């Protein structure tokens, strides 16, 4: 029996890059947003605890569904297995830049 897919989502949030894993990713009902459901985090039974992943667990505790603005998404990958969720500082020197906001502008009169 095939396993359900696992998605790795990388997105910008307040000057940081979040990497999270989820079982469901879709366009969703809100225009301009990507819907993320069933977030996956490592097991608490592990001896070594990653403080970054614990921070993410606390931030998303009680969240059933999250809506991310399309322009904050860096990439979404379907992966074979779940990795470690993490938060990293956005590099100002690198080539990773958020899409300029707003996407839609008012037409000129």
């Amino acid at each position: 029996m095939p396993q359900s897919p696992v998605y790795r989502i990388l997105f910008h949030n307040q000057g940081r890059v979040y990497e999270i894993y989820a079982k469901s990713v879709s366009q969703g009902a809100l225009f301009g947003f990507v819907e993320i459901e069933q977030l996956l985090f490592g097991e608490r039974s592990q001896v070594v605890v990653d403080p970054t992943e614990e921070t993410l667990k606390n931030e998303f505790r009680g969240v059933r569904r999250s809506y991310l603005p399309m322009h904050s998404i860096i990439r979404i990958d379907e992966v074979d297995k779940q990795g470690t969720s993490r938060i990293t500082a956005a590099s100002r020197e690198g080539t990773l830049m958020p899409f300029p906001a707003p996407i839609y502008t008012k037409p000129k009169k």
Side-chain angles (χ1 to χ4, degrees):
M1 185 169 158
Q3 291 181 340
S4 61
V6 174
Y7 298 96
R8 177 178 54 208
I9 302 102
L10 279 88
F11 64 96
H12 285 276
N13 184 28
Q14 298 178 347
R16 299 181 292 175
V17 176
Y18 283 55
E19 179 178 331
I20 59 174
Y21 292 84
K23 287 188 178 182
S24 176
V25 176
S26 63
Q27 184 173 341
L30 291 173
F31 181 70
F33 288 83
V34 174
E35 184 177 309
I36 311 291
E37 288 184 278
Q38 299 175 347
L39 297 175
L40 301 170
F41 295 104
E43 298 294 322
R44 286 197 181 269
S45 62
Q46 294 176 347
V47 176
V48 179
V49 177
D50 184 4
T52 305
E53 189 168 32
E54 287 298 316
T55 302
L56 280 168
K57 281 182 189 179
N58 290 333
E59 185 172 338
F60 288 101
R61 178 177 285 135
V63 174
R64 290 186 293 145
R65 182 178 302 135
S66 186
Y67 295 93
L68 303 174
M70 272 198 247
H71 63 274
S72 73
I73 303 286
I74 298 169
R75 71 186 288 161
I76 299 173
D77 299 317
E78 184 175 342
V79 294
D80 293 330
K81 62 180 185 173
Q82 175 187 345
T84 304
S85 298
R86 60 183 164 203
I87 303 171
T88 56
S91 173
R92 294 195 183 273
E93 299 167 358
T95 59
L96 207 62
M97 292 295 294
F99 197 80
I103 295 174
Y104 306 102
T105 59
K106 294 181 182 178
K108 294 181 180 179
K109 294 182 181 181

